[in-house]
Amino acid sequence: MTRPLIGVLALQGDVREHLAALRDQGAEALAVRRPEELAAVDGLVLPGGESTTIAKLARRFGLLDPLRASVRAGLPVYGSCAGMILLADRLLDAPPDQETIGGLDVTVRRNAFGRQADSFESEIDLAGLGGTSLHAVFIRAPWVEEAGDGVVVLGRIMGGAADGRIVAVRQGNLVATSFHPELTGDRRVHALFVDIVRRHLAQQAGVVAGNEEES
Amino acid sequence: MSAQTPSTGTDRVKRGMAEQLKGGVIMDVVTPEQAKIAEDAGAVAVMALERVPADIRAEGGISRMSDPDMIEGIIGAVSIPVMAKARIGHFVEARVLQSLGVDYIDESEVLTPADEAHHIAKSEFTVPFVCGATDLGEALRRISEGAAMIRSKGEAGTGNVVEATRHMRSIRAGIRALGTMDETELFVAAKELRAPIELVALVAREGKLPVVLFTAGGIATPADAAMMMQLGAEGVFVGSGIFKSGDPALRAAAIVQATTFHDDPDVIAKVSRGLGEAMVGLNVSTLPADQRFATRGW
C-alpha cells in the first residue's frame, strides 16, 4: 500500500493535531512553511487557525501563488475552519483586503455562528463517511453560504438557529469542513482525505504508465 | 436522526479556541486604531486593556478592566478574536466582559488584584479564560479553577524577557520532572505543587499541559519571540513591546513572522532589520518588590 506524504500548512494554527491525525491514518505527515516543502507533498491540509494571519504570512513568505498553482494543478487539499476560508473563492464578513488561495466554488461567511461564546459542539450526519453521526466541534466557525454547481454538500447543521447551514463540502480533490475533526478522536474525515490522496496518486501513476506505453 | 441541542461553553470548545491561536501573536491594544494596526500586521487576536503595562508602571494608580465603550469599539474594528483583561478575583468584571462578547478573558496580574486570596471560579463561565503562571504548580492551580489557556507571567511592561525565560523554563522543567516519576512519587509531587493529583498524573502521562501554553511578559523583539517559541511556548503575547516602540506596524509584523519561523535565524535576521527604536527597557533586578507584577496571584 502506498504511503502518501501529506503536508500541513504550518504558518499558524493547530498544525500538530492535523499531523497526528494524518499519521494515525497511515500517511507520512510534513509541516509545510516553504515553497520547496509544498512541492514535495502529495496532498495538503489547511489547519484551523486565524485565516487573516495565515493568508498574510502566506503572502509575505511567497507561498500564496505556489499554493494557488498547486490547487489549480489538482493537488488534493483539505481545509478545516480557517482552512475552509482559505479554500473559498468568495468571502463574506472578511476584511476587504483578505486574500484566499481559492479553488473551491463557494461563498464562505467568516465567524458565521457568532463569537467565541457561541462556539459549540454537536452531532452531525456526514455523507460518505458511513456509520454513525460525527461529533463536531465548531469554534468561531464559518459556514458555506452558497455552493456552486460542482460542489457536493457533505453535511449540514441539524436543528437550532443555524438549521440547514452547510458545514462540509467536497469539489473533486478539495474538501472543507467548518468544524475541527482534528480536535476529537474521530478520524473519519482524515481517513476520507487520505483516501482521496491515495486515489489521486494511483490515478497519476496510471496516467504516467499510460504515457510510457504510448511512447 | 433527530436534531441535537448544540452545547456551548464546554472545556473542549474553550481549550479548542486556544488551540487555534497556536503559532500566533496576541497583541495588547488600547484603542480601535491600534487593534486595526495589529490585525493588519497579522495578529491572531488582540488584548483590550486600559493602559499598556509600561504606562501602568509609569503612571501608577489602580489598574482596572477597560471602558466597555472602548472594548465595543475594538470588537467593532477587527474581525479577529478580541480578548480583554479582568483583575485577579474580580468576577464581576469578568461577567461584564462576557456580556460584552469578548472571546477570551485574561485574569491578569498586570491589573491591580481585586482579591488577595481567591482567583475567579472560571469553570462557571461560557467565555474561556487565560491565566498567568510562574511555575507548573501555579499553572495547574489555574487550570483546576477552569483556565483554558496558560501563559507565562514574565514581568510585563519592562521590555525585558528575563522573567518570561525563567517562567517558561520553570514550567517546562516541572513537566519533564513529572515524566520521570512513578505513581507514589506523583502523590508527593501533587502535594508539593499544591495541585490536584488527577491533573498532575495527566501531565506526567502526556508530557504537556492539558491546555495551550503561551508566553508573555517582556517580549520586545522578533528574537525574543523566537527564543520563547524555542523554549516551548506555543505562541506569544506582546504587550507594551509593540505600541511603545518607534514603528508599531513594522515591529508587529516582524514579531509575527519571527514567531512562525522561530527556528530559522535567516528569517529572524531579515525581519529584525530597520525596525527603529525598541521600547525602552527596565532592569527587573532593580525593580522594587512592590512594583513586580509576577508576584501577584498565587
Side-chain angles (χ1 to χ4, degrees):
Chain A
M1 179 130 91
T2 53
R3 220 173 130 72
L5 176 64
I6 302 184
V8 179
L9 188 66
L11 298 172
Q12 189 273 319
D14 64 346
V15 176
R16 186 178 59 218
E17 289 69 20
H18 277 290
L19 290 171
L22 291 168
R23 285 175 187 136
D24 272 1
Q25 294 310 311
E28 302 234 24
L30 174 74
V32 169
R33 292 183 298 178
R34 300 176 176 86
E36 57 270 28
E37 290 158 349
L38 176 64
V41 299
D42 305 315
L44 183 72
V45 171
L46 307 174
E50 177 45 53
S51 63
T52 57
T53 300
I54 296 172
K56 287 189 170 81
L57 285 166
R59 169 60 75 196
R60 281 181 208 151
F61 289 101
L63 212 52
L64 198 56
D65 291 328
L67 282 165
R68 286 172 174 162
S70 298
V71 170
R72 269 201 306 275
L75 183 76
V77 181
Y78 163 52
S80 70
C81 195
M84 171 188 265
I85 296 169
L86 290 165
L87 271 181
D89 279 342
R90 298 168 296 279
L91 296 183
L92 296 170
D93 292 344
D97 58 346
Q98 182 169 351
E99 296 187 277
T100 70
I101 298 164
L104 196 57
D105 180 17
V106 293
T107 303
V108 166
R109 186 179 292 280
R110 283 182 71 218
N111 303 334
F113 294 91
R115 306 192 65 82
Q116 171 59 15
D118 307 304
S119 293
F120 64 100
E121 38 188 317
S122 185
E123 304 296 315
I124 62 164
D125 282 332
L126 222 54
L129 291 192
T132 51
S133 62
L134 182 117
H135 188 75
V137 181
F138 295 83
I139 295 171
R140 283 175 53 99
W143 67 44
V144 173
E145 188 102 355
E146 260 182 336
D149 291 340
V151 177
V152 179
V153 174
L154 300 179
R156 295 174 188 268
I157 295 285
M158 296 179 297
D163 186 46
R165 289 295 182 179
I166 301 169
V167 292
V169 292
R170 176 172 176 185
Q171 174 192 320
N173 287 332
L174 305 179
V175 179
T177 63
S178 303
F179 53 89
H180 295 275
E182 72 278 14
L183 293 182
T184 65
D186 192 324
R187 297 295 191 227
R188 284 178 290 171
V189 174
H190 287 88
L192 169 75
F193 181 62
V194 172
D195 188 54
I196 289 172
V197 175
R198 283 205 172 101
R199 284 170 194 273
H200 181 67
L201 275 177
Q203 202 180 21
Q204 279 185 319
V207 170
V208 171
N211 288 344
E212 281 168 1
E213 277 164 29
E214 281 169 24
S215 60
Chain B
M1 87 160 269
S2 64
Q4 305 280 322
T5 316
S7 8
T8 56
T10 61
D11 277 353
R12 190 181 251 157
V13 160
K14 290 175 173 177
R15 293 176 181 186
M17 166 77 200
E19 301 284 354
Q20 308 313 312
L21 302 172
K22 283 189 299 192
V25 182
I26 299 167
M27 303 180 189
D28 275 4
V29 298
V30 300
T31 63
E33 294 71 31
Q34 289 187 353
K36 196 76 195 103
I37 291 170
E39 182 179 51
D40 289 344
V44 288
V46 292
M47 173 74 71
L49 71 172
E50 191 185 35
R51 295 174 286 171
V52 295
D55 287 338
I56 292 172
R57 286 188 186 285
E59 295 161 15
I62 303 301
S63 220
R64 311 178 179 91
M65 175 187 82
S66 272
D67 181 330
D69 280 342
M70 188 57 79
I71 291 170
E72 276 191 352
I74 289 168
I75 287 174
V78 294
S79 68
I80 58 177
V82 176
M83 302 183 165
K85 287 187 194 285
R87 283 180 269 177
I88 289 175
H90 207 313
F91 52 87
V92 172
E93 281 189 353
R95 288 283 169 202
V96 171
L97 292 175
Q98 176 166 285
S99 110
L100 290 172
V102 306
D103 296 295
Y104 239 92
I105 295 175
D106 184 358
E107 186 184 19
S108 177
E109 71 284 358
V110 169
L111 306 187
T112 312
D115 188 325
E116 293 190 331
H118 310 90
H119 282 254
I120 298 169
K122 292 170 274 287
S123 303
E124 299 168 1
F125 287 74
T126 309
V127 66
F129 283 75
V130 55
C131 288
T134 58
D135 57 29
L136 179 60
E138 197 174 3
L140 295 180
R141 289 194 292 281
R142 295 297 84 78
I143 294 168
S144 70
E145 294 157 0
M149 179 181 189
I150 294 292
R151 57 171 173 76
S152 68
K153 284 182 175 173
E155 195 52 57
T158 60
N160 185 341
V161 82
V162 66
E163 293 300 308
T165 304
R166 190 190 319 281
H167 301 159
M168 287 308 301
R169 284 196 183 277
S170 171
I171 292 168
R172 300 272 295 175
I175 293 171
R176 274 197 304 276
L178 289 186
T180 66
M181 293 180 191
D182 67 21
E183 199 186 341
T184 50
E185 290 168 332
L186 287 178
F187 282 101
V188 179
K191 194 176 76 179
E192 287 167 354
L193 290 167
R194 294 186 288 136
I197 179 65
E198 296 75 20
L199 264 180
V200 170
L202 179 69
V203 172
R205 201 163 56 239
E206 304 282 332
K208 64 183 284 297
L209 295 179
V211 302
V212 166
L213 173 64
F214 267 48
T215 189
I219 288 99
T221 69
D224 286 350
M227 178 165 111
M228 290 298 119
M229 294 295 285
Q230 291 201 32
L231 286 175
E234 297 178 284
V236 180
F237 285 89
V238 186
S240 322
I242 289 172
F243 289 100
K244 284 288 158 190
S245 74
D247 189 338
L250 196 60
R251 181 166 296 264
I255 291 175
V256 168
Q257 294 173 74
T259 299
T260 294
F261 283 88
H262 55 87
D263 55 351
D264 187 333
D266 293 342
V267 171
I268 300 165
K270 191 174 152 209
V271 303
S272 298
R273 290 170 197 271
L275 295 183
E277 290 288 310
M279 70 176 284
V280 178
L282 284 176
N283 198 332
V284 178
S285 60
T286 58
L287 270 186
D290 66 348
Q291 288 178 28
R292 292 190 182 209
F293 296 158
T295 55
R296 297 168 169 178
W298 30 87

